[in-house]
DNA sequence: TATGAATGAGCCTTCATTCAT
DNA sequence: CATGAATGAAGGCTCATTCAT
């Protein structure tokens, strides 16, 4: 769960800018409420299944007011995606404090799976929405940047773990994580997530055993 | 690229039933034309971006006729997904003829990457559409069945390759393949597909070295 | 239940013209089958809720064939109404054999209520369809003729029963009968039909008591 | 003309709520305009013959706006029927001020016939629409309630008029009134309404003669 | 006689967006 | 800043009717 930003109900709330007058604070507050509601609705009903009217009603504000904060429905989507990305960065950053690379790796994987389970609906949304023709373009740069940063993170980590071919390995791992999320979403509930997670941690764990045991 | 069925412009064309009278043949022909056009348009513009009117115009048939062949716009989508699934099965089946499991594995991976490149737009569609809230339900059973079969295929193959923990390994591999497709689509063109592909083949190749070299 | 023709499942079947060759007989047969089916469907789903396609499928004939027998959907409707009218005439005619006018009257009322209960759906259809703007015009003459004849029947009967002002009385009675049907349909099942029926028979029965007892 | 609510062009106009701000007043105004137009069009062309487009054009508003006030085309219909019912209640209420029951009865009958003539098109609509399969269900409760109330009114009146068997008698009378309306609509213009009306008044008038004179 | 594929006009409904208040 | 009435383009879908076979 790397490329796709991890979102939960709280991550938007906490970010209200405190600077500025009362006016500005109110404005930021309303904006965040819209974003939060849109996020929940997009996740719940899809982008096309969510109407501006529905968002406004759930926010208990008027439809017109939404257009004071966002120019477009699409604009809301982009903002939502951006917030998600920020949450994704958070996920990465928190890990740097763990000194042992193997342990850090294990925690990263654990956290990744945890987030996937907690915010399943958001994941679906992100995958779904970014694969929509025309949407990716709006967001490609930032997404790519985040992807690069994630890869970089694992490259550095893998080097400390003495994994050879660290870059390719990083790409494979992140792909595997997102792919597992995808499959978990698509093939349903009886997916052996715990076993899979442990296998991943095992594979990269000290001492340097092969990933595929024979 | 396993879960998501692989589709290209030709695979539908070839399946026109030859039995039956002229009527039945015509009917099948029209149906296939609709499916084919819908597939292309869905891939090109997304499911919601594609209108029935557009499909009918591209097919040079009347709007109403489409509803002689499909009950719904959604019904067309499901049919498209089904066709894709069939192509997915085809992909698997062809491989059984290769006697050496390691070579078979390599071919499978190669083919998988090839298909991904050839039908990129369809891949996007499949991911996109299946992640749409409400759509998965229409298709969940068949998709799960196909997933199970894919896993089973790799389990058997891995056993012949003396890979321990074959089931988990199969899940990891298929996830990795789909995840790579996803990342390739999302982060753009400069993705080192060839290198990644080779690394995968390498990892599972004889002699039994570990997957992660240190 | 006088103005509105009384219809049951059998009344059309029995009327296939026996003259003519095999061809003509087949033709009449198909025509009757269409009419019968249309009648049932109109009653069940209303005129607008019934499609030509549905009629053809229930008849197990093609859509096109219907247009060999009827020029229009409307044409079918008119034919159905005509058949109903014929049944209405039948209802009246059968009564003339009863010599005692009071008994004849009682039987007529009984039969009228019986029919209403047996063919409720058809009744609804007739009322419904004839009140549709534009439909009545197609059928007005025949309906008026039938109404006149019904009135005439009661006028003659009432005269034999020594009812003064027989014509007005006939109009009131037939209106009452149809009105009761209407109310029965509209206000539901707990309508005291039996009591009402008996009251009517009572009112016109020998010896000449007043209709409204004080 | 009791069960079926009596409606004319004016009764909706008069009910615009005066409370509330300008917004609310405007809203009520538009709603009434839609209802009024729909009523006229339904009566004129039938429910199915009336399109939303037509209603909106006659109202000089956009098609979409109609759906701000009503969820459905059917919803408009129900609202129209409700208004009609209200008019029906009004018809009953006004009568209570007349002290002499016989005179009250006569006025009631007169008024009933008057209304029938004034709003013939609406009557047709009501009969027509309520007999449409599936429509009655939407409205059954309210209609039944009104019917019961009408019956109750006549029961009380008849008791004061010393009519025995007042309940049955009330059912017969209301049925007769609606039946006469139906016949008047169906068999055309030369129906002797005045004579029929007088006969009814006569029948229930003091002194206590029998209804059927011999 | 019989079929059913094909048409196309038209219907109900949705919804992002605007704007007067 | 805030409202929500109003717009209008467009979309999915229906269905009576036609016609080549």
């Amino acid at each position: 769960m790397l490329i796709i930003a991890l979102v939960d109900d709280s991550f938007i709330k906490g970010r209200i800018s405190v600077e500025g007058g009362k006016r500005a604070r109110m404005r930021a507050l309303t904006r965040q409420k819209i974003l939060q509601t849109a996020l929940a609705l997009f996740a719940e009903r899809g982008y096309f299944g969510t109407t501006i009217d529905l968002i406004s009603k759930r926010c208990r504000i008027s439809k017109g007011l939404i257009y004071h904060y966002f120019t477009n429905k699409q604009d809301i989507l982009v903002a939502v995606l951006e917030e998600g990305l920020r949450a994704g960065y958070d996920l990465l950053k928190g890990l740097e404090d763990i000194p042992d690379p193997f342990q850090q790796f294990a925690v990263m994987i654990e956290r990744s799976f945890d987030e996937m389970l907690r915010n399943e609906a958001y994941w679906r949304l992100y995958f779904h929405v970014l694969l929509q023709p025309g949407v990716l373009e709006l967001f490609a740069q930032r997404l790519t940047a985040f992807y690069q940063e994630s890869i970089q993170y694992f490259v550095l980590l893998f080097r400390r773990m003495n994994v050879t071919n660290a870059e390719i390995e990083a790409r494979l791992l992140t792909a595997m994580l997102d792919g597992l999320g995808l499959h978990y979403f698509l093939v349903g509930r009886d997916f052996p997530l715990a076993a899979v997670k442990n296998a991943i941690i095992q594979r990269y764990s000290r001492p340097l055993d092969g990933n595929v045991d024979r």
Side-chain angles (χ1 to χ4, degrees), chain A:
Chain A
M1 303 328 190
L2 285 175
I3 287 199
I4 302 311
L6 304 174
V7 199
D8 67 23
D9 286 5
S10 64
F11 85 93
I12 291 180
K13 249 181 218 145
R15 294 181 183 277
I16 297 150
S17 71
V18 204
E19 341 97 59
K22 197 178 174 185
R23 196 38 89 67
R25 215 159 40 241
M26 279 298 294
R27 200 178 156 78
L29 210 67
T30 306
R31 197 189 132 90
Q32 298 299 336
K33 195 165 67 177
I34 294 170
L35 273 185
Q36 212 173 293
T37 309
L39 177 57
L41 283 171
F42 287 164
E44 194 182 300
R45 318 168 53 117
Y47 175 68
F48 289 102
T50 302
T51 67
I52 295 290
D53 195 66
L54 195 56
I55 297 174
S56 78
K57 280 206 174 93
R58 275 263 251 274
C59 281
R60 297 168 174 280
I61 62 176
S62 77
K63 227 182 330 187
L65 191 55
I66 290 185
Y67 287 87
H68 281 238
Y69 292 93
F70 301 93
T71 43
N72 254 343
K73 191 186 173 187
Q74 205 179 62
D75 192 33
I76 303 177
L77 177 61
V78 172
V80 163
L81 294 177
E82 268 166 13
E83 296 280 356
L85 215 52
R86 239 166 44 189
Y89 277 113
D90 284 359
L91 188 67
L92 280 177
K93 271 182 207 146
L95 293 167
E96 293 162 359
D97 302 336
I98 304 168
D100 176 39
F102 295 96
Q103 196 191 337
Q104 191 184 125
F105 180 83
V107 170
M108 170 68 207
I109 299 298
E110 291 276 4
R111 197 183 290 180
S112 187
F113 274 81
D114 286 356
E115 290 293 333
M116 182 183 78
L117 288 175
R118 272 213 318 195
N119 298 306
E120 184 183 325
Y122 301 115
W123 275 78
R124 282 177 191 267
L125 169 66
Y126 275 85
F127 280 114
H128 169 61
V129 136
L130 289 172
L131 290 162
Q132 170 77 4
V135 171
L136 183 58
E137 287 67 25
L138 303 169
F139 203 64
Q141 281 202 353
R142 273 169 288 219
L143 191 66
T144 303
F146 176 63
Y147 176 73
Q148 304 295 4
E149 198 148 328
S150 301
I151 293 300
Q152 205 50 42
Y153 166 78
F154 276 110
V155 165
L156 295 177
L157 190 61
F158 279 156
R159 287 202 183 130
R160 290 174 58 204
M161 291 161 77
N162 285 324
V163 172
T164 56
N165 218 350
E167 195 213 315
I168 296 295
E169 210 58 46
R171 291 187 194 274
L172 292 180
L173 177 68
T174 53
M176 193 190 284
L177 291 175
D178 281 351
L180 284 169
L182 197 60
H183 287 188
Y184 172 65
F185 295 151
L186 294 181
V187 303
R189 293 302 86 99
D190 50 349
F191 199 96
L193 274 184
V196 160
K197 183 180 68 184
N198 291 333
I200 294 176
I201 295 173
Q202 185 74 26
R203 165 177 292 182
Y204 291 88
S205 73
R206 193 174 14 187
L208 66 158
D209 54 347
N211 287 340
V212 182
D213 312 309
R214 315 235 166 137

